[in-house]
Amino acid sequence: MKKCYINGTGCVSSQKTINTAFLQDIIVNENENVLELSVPDYKEVIPPAAARRMAKGVKNGIVASHWAMKEAGVHNLDAIITGTGMGCCIDSEKFLKALIDNKEEFLTPTSFIQSTHNTVGGQIALGLECKAYNFTYVNGAVSFESSLIDAKMQLDEEEAATILVGGVEENAEATTNFLQLTGIIKPKEQSSYSVLDSDTTGAVFSEGAVFFVLEDDKKETTYAELNDVTIYNTLEKEEVEAKLESFLKGNGLSVNDIDAVVLGYNGDTLYDGYYTILADGVLKNTQQLYYKHLSGEFNTASAFGLWVASHVVKLQEAPEVLSVNDVKAAGYKNILLYNQYRGKDHSFTLVSQC
Amino acid sequence: MSRGVAITGMGIISSIGNSVEENFNALIQSKPGITVIENITTVHKNVIKVGEIKKTNGQLAAELGLAADNNYSRTAMLGAIAAKQAVNNAGITDINEFNTGLISATSVGGMDMTERFFYDYAESDEHRRYILSHDAGDVAHKIADQLGLKGLVTTISTACSSAANAIMLGARLIKNGKLDRVIVGGTDALSKFTINGFKTLMILSDTYNTPFDNDRKGLNLGEAAAFLVLESDAVVKQQNKKVLAYLSGYGNANDAYHQTASSENGDGAFLSMEKAFKISGLAPSDIDYINAHGTATPNNDLSEGRAIIRAFGNNVPEFSSTKPFTGHTLAAAAAIEAVYSVLALQNGVVYPNLNFKTPMEEFDIVPQTELKEKEINHVLSNSFGFGGNCSTLLFSKS
Amino acid sequence: MEALKQELKEKIIDVLNLEDIAVEDVNDNDPLFGDGLGLDSIDALELIVMLDKDYGIKLADPKEGKAIFQSIETMAKYISENRTK
């Protein structure tokens, strides 16, 4: 069975994460309930003629994938696999509003075409003229992990050697308003919004695009080996520990072998208990890291989490801004990631130094 | 791949029937389900025809025994009905007995509710519960809830090839040993969003769709859901399961030509068929029937026809599109056509391509227009979507 | 006619998001599709809606657009002869 190496990454987020050293220019913003995107230079990557119809999610996806491929030094892909929980919200809303406002008349096709969930993957393929396998996963907070599972199987089975995989979400006005109405996004004027010291429900949201080049060969740019990924649609808090242990066992490991765990804390008091039950229990003596205070919450925020974990393994350093507890590992051989969203779409991901 | 992955159960709801049996009867009796739209108020009512399931949301909810304050989209209800049928058909009594997954597919998700309440949400909280049923993943969660399934649940959305890709992923997960059993398929309800979207592309027919006809005017949209149960050889053996058919091959490729249109020569379609042959170890000459994507848009049928000729040369087997029966059911299309492909294998029939009159001027191949009985050992089914997404599935007799 | 041409240039740039192109860059006889402005079939559908919405001209078949949308010149001519508003 072939191995799976993370050989390149590209990250567009609410932080400055393009063309900068790992977490060099971090700003911890606890004043906004929706973190603004740090807009990358689109023109550097996308010709204006091609960009003219693209909403920001598509552009961010193309930019992130461009940098991931550049870093890995790859030009040809055997598969493009994208995860996006909410898809292309901006164009969906645009078309839907026009439809309602104009009573189904004088509608134009562009926003409808761009509203399709697989627009990002399709546009990346179109730009690269890549005729390879092209899948898009759209299942909430496991959209990105589903993409990883698919990619890993294809590398295992030697159906593919070089795969581009990523997660993308974009914020759109109405969708963001709706999520505030339901309380999923924390209300405005409730700041400051601390993730770890939160006493309110809901989360601070944001958006972004994080892409990875996964290959079956280790090379100079390799960050880490992606060992395993598993997902569960629903778990009770009491079930998480057993699932975590069986996941590790499946990889010949136990909790003692884990040097650091990256947890998906988002400051939602209704659901952060899924993390604390582990943090106060089986992972008590393990170094604990978090990242959603930097990235904000969104369906594929866990891709930002993997981006963080990959860097920690590669650089053998975990910046203080990521720390949840005081435990410090001597080195970072095995890192476990656990994420869930509102008690659903749980995922365990394991990466290791190689 | 030996014989492939075993298919042990099927469920379907479409405009031609509420069960596998009803769908099959409509197909062999040439009874299409294309009508004037009834459940959605649209200004296009008189200029389009659709493959609509003649059940209201209330009726669907009652069938599923949902509470009055449920937040199921129509897409989720259709999906749950089809998935339950499939699980029953496979004789599964304990859904979590084995390591079981669910791979759903949808393009619109809960758009049917969002388009209804879009401006209401800000005004009152009456319908706000539907905000959380908008995203595509909610559909899979609802279906999993209905099945009581706990495990690997995910959703694929690659426009009109979505369900083929869900079936493909399911097969990989079984082959890879990650799952013992997986429920795979797709669901899409009609919505104003898609009706108007396809309208803007000027590819909706104002009459009944006529695949592979020289004078074809476009597609009819439809709604449907279908799910299949795939099981590992070990489970089949252990439970002495009846295998309906095998999924023997699959392939996905990208046309990388245009956002919505297919390339002139059908590159993506040709590549996806080629990959499916490679995985299955079958040759084009082994195929007895092609269930074509055949949407009846000028572009699709030309591109697909050319790709078929490239793949099959002078020996194109009988082919037909079943879209004149059901309309184009988008993300569900490949799942309902997977059910039809399995039924073709089981019953030895090629379905008629209804409404065909005039051969296309660009090539010589013509679809099968009458019901034909013959021994069928292998069926090829194509599904193509926006973003250049092309998928092929191969089904083989058990 | 000149005013209509100017109006069309502005509209096309706006509707099709041609950010990098100015009205002065578009000559009356430049091809709009292919080598000229580089418009494609999706743009053609956008222009068909523009004809309907702004000038009251309905095209039933997208193929009809091909001759009409050759250039600003052909578009202006067709619109002035067929407009209902």
Side-chain angles (χ1 to χ4, degrees), chain A residues 43 48-49 52-53 94 102 105-111 113, chain C residues 16-18 20 38-40 42-43 45-46 49 52-53 85:
Chain A
K43 287 199 174 136
R52 70 191 164 99
R53 297 192 190 113
K94 204 167 158 186
N102 298 317
E105 278 194 288
F106 305 127
L107 297 171
T108 62
T110 302
S111 53
I113 293 167
Chain C
L16 305 180
N17 260 333
L18 303 171
D20 288 18
L39 304 187
D40 63 15
I42 299 172
D43 296 312
L45 294 170
E46 294 277 341
V49 176
D52 185 7
K53 193 176 173 185
K85 66 179 179 190

Side-chain angles (χ1 to χ4, degrees), chain B residues 264-386:
Chain B
E264 294 260 317
N265 295 316
D267 281 348
F270 174 73
L271 287 171
S272 70
M273 287 190 272
E274 198 177 52
K275 281 187 187 175
F277 284 128
K278 198 177 155 202
I279 292 251
S280 65
L282 295 171
S285 57
D286 294 321
I287 303 300
D288 303 300
Y289 166 50
I290 301 171
N291 185 289
H293 187 52
T295 57
T297 64
N299 176 248
N300 176 79
D301 294 4
L302 177 59
S303 180
E304 184 177 11
R306 282 184 171 152
I308 287 173
I309 292 167
R310 275 172 78 187
F312 287 85
N314 292 324
N315 300 304
V316 177
E318 279 97 352
F319 70 98
S320 65
S321 163
T322 44
K323 302 272 188 318
F325 286 93
T326 58
H328 187 1
T329 59
L330 306 180
I336 66 169
E337 288 159 29
V339 171
Y340 299 162
S341 296
V342 171
L343 288 168
L345 289 167
Q346 289 180 308
N347 298 286
V349 287
V350 172
Y351 312 115
N353 186 111
L354 304 180
N355 308 334
F356 176 87
K357 286 197 187 77
T358 314
M360 286 168 60
E361 61 186 26
E362 292 91 346
F363 44 62
D364 295 332
I365 57 170
V366 291
Q368 178 67 25
T369 54
E370 302 289 331
L371 184 76
K372 180 172 176 175
E373 293 187 28
K374 72 169 202 175
E375 163 106 18
I376 299 183
N377 290 303
H378 305 284
V379 177
L380 179 148
S381 177
N382 279 332
S383 296
F384 313 131
F386 282 5

